[in-house]
Amino acid sequence: MQHSDIIIAGGGFAGLACAKSLAQAGIGVTLLERKKAPGIGMHTTGIIVGECAEEFSMPTHLTRKITDVRLYAPNFKFVDLKADDYFFLTTDTPGLMRHLSDEAIKAGANIIYDTPYESGEQHDDIIVNGQFSCRFLIGADGPRSKVADDFELGQNTKFLLGAEAEYDGLHTGDHSFYCFLDQKLAYGYLGWVIPGVGVTQVGLAQRMPRRPDIDAFVARMDGIFDFSRAKVVARRGGLIPCGGLVQPFARNNVILLGDAAGIVSPLTAGGIHTALHYGKILGETLADHIKHGAKHPASLLAHIYPRFYLKQGLRMAYERLAPNWLLDTILTNPLFTRVANTVFFKRKWLK
């Protein structure tokens, strides 16, 4: 049986950030990932907020800077939003995942691809898949976490379902993030068209159990963008937790991280920054605990993991109190414009 101080289930943003942080501290860490290689079968849009780009170095050839937002009402009235000191990055997400994987491996992490987390049991050590043992198990295995199920931890129950297509030959002509409010096509969230790295990303998300219809969205956008010469080169989609932090997120030496822990903004659906940020912190805290006898990392996370109480309230208000006719009416209202500008461009507080 192979032993490691730490086993991480899942090789997304959270798992890779945690693995790199642990390896840099000299802690033995093995990461199990079901995909055959990094960067394949991606589900995320890969859109990164400005403060995430500032905290974590992103290779410039894998990113594109977006500075403006054009926000549309269902009737296609729009407002232009901008902040001089803020930006977004779209990414070559498969390339970025390969980069993060390489960085973790260079730091000393043992990453085993084509090996999903299948089962775990608590004994003196934690036994994973019947062939690995560890002191700590980190569940970074996505919004429907098998680790959470096996160890009776909290699980996500509220989701957005997102769908996105990448187009070649669709030109928007600028550096704008086009966002479309429409409670019929994108209930509880929005649709988007945004220049990516070598492609244009077109997508939308809906609050489940409703399902996004990207073809209907594209048909609706055809009056704004010219799809006549555009070709779909990739599609992706997946679940986005929107119910906030799960409880409990830890039990004994099993800790949930990233989407598995529900640390995704219920309002903006942004989870990459929290995944990287808390993945790094968990790695540092685990290393201090193992090497120096510092407090159990779950006790620290209990104080710093985001709860998103305000964002939960704003999400509920948007879902229940913002039908299309009201969005058509208030979009250009100065108060609504200020609120929208704050949502998009205020530096994202992790809590």
Side-chain angles (χ1 to χ4, degrees):
M1 186 170 290
Q2 300 179 47
H3 182 81
S4 182
D5 290 320
I6 315 292
I7 289 179
I8 300 173
F13 286 101
L16 289 171
C18 189
K20 178 182 176 181
S21 180
L22 285 162
Q24 286 176 327
I27 303 298
V29 54
T30 295
L31 186 151
L32 306 180
E33 169 53 47
R34 63 179 178 82
K35 296 173 184 175
K36 294 184 178 181
I40 64 174
M42 298 303 303
H43 298 291
T44 177
T45 64
I47 300 171
I48 293 176
V49 295
E51 55 271 42
C52 181
E54 293 167 356
E55 183 177 357
F56 298 93
S57 176
M58 303 288 171
T60 56
H61 69 283
L62 298 177
T63 66
R64 179 170 180 171
K65 191 173 184 179
I66 305 297
T67 55
D68 302 355
V69 171
R70 176 166 288 186
L71 182 63
Y72 285 84
N75 63 5
F76 287 162
K77 290 182 180 179
F78 64 84
V79 292
D80 287 323
L81 309 173
K82 185 178 177 66
D84 292 337
D85 62 345
Y86 200 83
F87 62 92
F88 301 89
L89 291 180
T90 51
T91 64
D92 171 357
T93 315
L96 181 58
M97 298 309 295
R98 290 190 291 270
H99 167 77
L100 294 174
S101 178
D102 289 344
E103 290 288 298
I105 291 169
K106 288 176 184 176
N110 177 31
I111 301 181
I112 306 176
Y113 286 98
D114 200 19
T115 304
Y117 169 89
E118 295 175 340
S119 64
E121 296 178 309
Q122 180 75 62
H123 298 284
D124 290 338
D125 281 333
I126 299 168
I127 308 301
V128 174
N129 291 4
Q131 58 179 315
F132 302 95
S133 66
C134 60
R135 293 176 60 184
F136 282 86
L137 173 61
I138 308 303
D141 53 337
R144 285 186 168 154
S145 169
K146 183 69 166 56
V147 173
D149 187 41
D150 285 349
F151 291 90
E152 299 182 342
L153 297 173
Q155 299 189 49
N156 295 294
T157 58
K158 299 178 181 178
F159 301 96
L160 297 169
L161 181 59
E164 186 177 77
E166 292 184 348
Y167 281 85
D168 183 28
L170 178 63
H171 303 291
T172 61
D174 57 17
H175 298 280
S176 291
F177 188 174
Y178 295 89
C179 296
F180 298 85
L181 302 176
D182 189 325
Q183 294 280 41
K184 294 180 179 178
L185 283 173
Y187 174 71
Y189 195 57
L190 48 74
W192 62 88
V193 176
I194 188 168
V197 180
V199 295
T200 299
Q201 299 172 219
V202 179
L204 74 162
Q206 292 224 65
R207 178 78 147 80
M208 288 187 70
R210 303 188 190 192
R211 303 180 67 84
D213 185 341
I214 197 164
D215 293 329
F217 179 62
V218 168
R220 183 104 167 92
M221 296 302 101
D222 199 41
I224 298 177
F225 303 102
D226 181 7
F227 285 88
S228 63
R229 298 183 180 180
K231 179 182 179 181
V232 175
V233 294
R235 290 184 183 270
R236 57 189 170 215
L239 296 175
I240 307 165
C242 62
L245 179 66
V246 303
Q247 292 289 355
F249 64 82
R251 190 184 304 280
N252 299 325
N253 285 358
V254 182
I255 303 171
L256 299 181
L257 178 66
D259 284 8
I263 52 173
V264 177
S265 169
L267 185 61
T268 66
I272 294 177
H273 187 201
T274 51
L276 291 171
H277 179 78
Y278 291 105
K280 178 183 176 184
I281 286 177
L282 177 55
E284 293 169 347
T285 307
L286 268 170
D288 282 345
H289 176 72
I290 291 171
K291 295 172 71 173
H292 307 298
K295 284 186 177 182
H296 194 288
S299 63
L300 172 66
L301 294 179
H303 293 289
I304 67 171
Y305 258 174
R307 264 67 175 180
F308 300 118
Y309 294 130
L310 175 59
K311 294 181 181 182
Q312 288 273 28
L314 291 172
R315 158 160 291 287
M316 290 177 61
Y318 177 63
E319 286 183 358
R320 299 177 184 181
L321 304 175
N324 278 358
W325 67 264
L326 181 59
L327 294 172
D328 287 336
T329 302
I330 68 172
L331 182 80
T332 56
N333 179 280
L335 177 59
F336 182 85
T337 301
R338 285 198 296 272
V339 171
N341 209 77
T342 298
V343 169
F344 280 101
F345 292 113
K346 180 179 176 62
R347 293 194 168 269
K348 307 298 185 291
W349 60 100
L350 293 175
K351 292 195 177 187

